[in-house]
Amino acid sequence: MCFLDETGQGLRPPRARTWGRRGRTPVVRVPGRGGNGRVSVVGMVCYRPGWRPRLLYRARTWRGGGGRRGIGWEDCRDLLAAAHAQLPGGRLVLVWDRVNIHRQTEMTTFLREHAGWVSAVLLPAYAPELNPAEGVWSQLKRTAVVNLAARALDEVCQAVKHGLKRMQYRPPLLLGFLAETGLVWEELWST
């Protein structure tokens, strides 16, 4: 079972507490105050009883100007094809939200044409608490990207990819994201 979701991050980082003295807030000037591009990521957290969980993702950088600003249906299609090639077992049950790119004609056509190895299930209208991929984005923005004073979009992209790579090597953390939703299989905890 694979849970898919998207996120994005610009040059302006999420803020957290600092070690500055009380009453003297440290000020860090960051160039490009948010309008100079964006890093968009589509990610999938995959669970199978008796196997370790997997995190797969694809990142896209938009530097402004023309072209697609965020993730498109092609990115979701490519991630699904990569998951089919990498994950053992064959059939994928895809759980995702009702974003427009998931319901786009090209995407539904792709799912229909590949119904032999992938099937899609839609989450309720607004239910981020049921998607473990939301936990991945929350963890990413609380650890790898928080208070990041990046001067260029490449630094943001590198921090995002590094944070996601660290999570790939922590299966108990990925299991925790599933447990946070309340959708836990008993067999998952035995591995």
Side-chain angles (χ1 to χ4, degrees), residues 1-4 43-47 53-56 132-133 136 174:
M1 183 167 290
C2 298
F3 296 86
L4 188 137
M44 188 164 40
V45 188
C46 303
Y47 301 97
R54 300 283 300 266
L55 171 63
L56 306 170
V136 171
L174 298 176

Side-chain angles (χ1 to χ4, degrees), residues 95-139:
V95 181
W96 57 11
D97 52 11
R98 299 173 185 264
V99 176
N100 290 339
I101 60 172
H102 299 168
R103 296 179 292 135
Q104 201 168 343
T105 306
E106 294 89 349
M107 192 70 217
T108 56
T109 303
F110 172 80
L111 291 173
R112 238 188 341 270
E113 289 172 355
H114 297 91
W117 59 268
V118 65
S119 60
V121 177
L122 293 172
L123 287 170
Y126 184 74
E129 68 277 358
L130 295 178
N131 195 344
E134 295 286 348
V136 171
W137 309 140
S138 176
Q139 177 75 12

